[in-house]
Amino acid sequence: EIVMTQSPATLSVSPGERATLSCRASQSISSNLAWYQQKPGQAPRLLIYGASTRATGIPARFSGSGSGIEFTLTISSLQSEDFAVYYCQQYNNWPRWTFGQGTKVEIK
Amino acid sequence: EVQLVESGGGLIQPGGSLRLSCAASGFTVSSTYMSWVRQAPGKGLEWVSIIYTDGTTYYADSVKGRFTISRDNSKNTLYFQMNSLRAEDTAVYYCAMGYQPLHVNFWGQGTLVTVSS
């Protein structure tokens, strides 16, 4: 099983600041990585796939980068609606997807 | 507009059975890759099962032999038959759709399954 490790567990950021979230795979997954956003009581929402391609309707302030085992999600200027939990997911070993444990982005 | 509406969750005793349903609209279930992903209370996401467009099914080791994914094309609905339920199966179960068997493009709102005596 490919283990996905996200860091930090919690990120405290002020509105308007940049947030950088990390995701590491236990083995190379090429660019087969997606990022999701989940707000309390809601279903996740696809943000990024292919490590760096924004999903339909996702604002340009969200960007993804990386390949192999190290990946990053960057939110360039945090808006109030961006405070949420973010999950990475590998699909290199499809259909057996695995998710990271999540990073909570909270208001500083 | 794509919509996924789950139903069928509830409180069930260990060893019992439940069948979850996911009514889809705005697309054809048989033409997409449909999955169930669960989230235990306060925990992260766990992939559980997927059904491909050709009907091929896959399961996580934790549920293999106990759970069955299926679809009814005439009703455009996805199902999840869960047998021999255990306390560790307690979670919100999300119905999820992907245009490819790679990641999820759309999620339902989830249905809570609680396994407890």
Side-chain angles (χ1 to χ4, degrees):
Chain A
E1 176 182 304
I2 299 176
V3 177
M4 306 302 293
T5 303
Q6 292 186 241
S7 61
T10 303
L11 186 62
S12 298
V13 185
S14 299
E17 289 187 342
R18 173 187 295 258
T20 302
L21 290 66
S22 296
C23 176
R24 170 185 278 255
S26 60
Q27 64 188 72
S28 177
I29 58 170
S30 186
S31 295
N32 297 315
L33 184 99
W35 289 94
Y36 301 89
Q37 176 194 67
Q38 186 178 34
K39 297 179 181 179
Q42 296 186 17
R45 176 175 72 145
L46 178 66
L47 298 176
I48 301 283
Y49 62 93
S52 60
T53 302
R54 277 190 302 277
T56 302
I58 302 303
R61 64 181 181 272
F62 291 91
S63 64
S65 63
S67 66
I69 64 171
E70 295 279 3
F71 301 87
T72 300
L73 174 69
T74 302
I75 312 171
S76 59
S77 177
L78 271 161
Q79 306 297 302
S80 58
E81 62 266 30
D82 300 335
F83 292 97
V85 179
Y86 292 82
Y87 294 95
C88 61
Q89 174 229 337
Q90 69 79 22
Y91 48 88
N92 190 69
N93 193 28
W94 60 275
R96 302 188 185 286
W97 310 333
T98 49
F99 295 85
Q101 80 279 19
T103 290
K104 181 180 180 181
V105 177
E106 64 176 24
I107 301 174
K108 187 174 182 181
Chain B
E1 180 190 5
V2 169
Q3 285 198 330
L4 298 164
V5 179
E6 300 97 333
S7 60
L11 175 63
I12 187 76
Q13 291 190 340
S17 298
L18 273 180
R19 188 177 82 155
L20 306 183
S21 299
C22 173
S25 58
F27 71 100
T28 302
V29 163
S30 61
S31 299
T32 58
Y33 297 82
M34 299 297 297
S35 303
W36 290 97
V37 178
R38 68 186 180 183
Q39 186 170 37
K43 302 296 184 182
L45 301 167
E46 179 190 13
W47 171 78
V48 183
S49 183
I50 188 170
I51 183 166
Y52 281 15
T53 53
D54 66 359
T56 303
T57 59
Y58 295 94
Y59 301 91
D61 290 344
S62 57
V63 306
K64 196 170 186 178
R66 299 188 297 126
F67 294 4
T68 303
I69 190 172
S70 64
R71 66 189 181 211
D72 184 328
N73 297 342
S74 66
K75 296 182 179 179
N76 210 35
T77 298
L78 179 74
Y79 298 102
F80 206 37
Q81 178 67 43
M82 303 187 297
N83 299 331
S84 302
L85 282 159
R86 307 166 179 167
E88 54 265 35
D89 296 318
T90 294
V92 173
Y93 284 74
Y94 292 103
C95 170
M97 181 273 267
Y99 293 116
Q100 297 293 329
L102 304 175
H103 51 79
V104 176
N105 292 94
F106 295 98
W107 301 73
Q109 284 304 301
T111 187
L112 176 62
V113 173
T114 303
V115 184
S116 175
S117 54

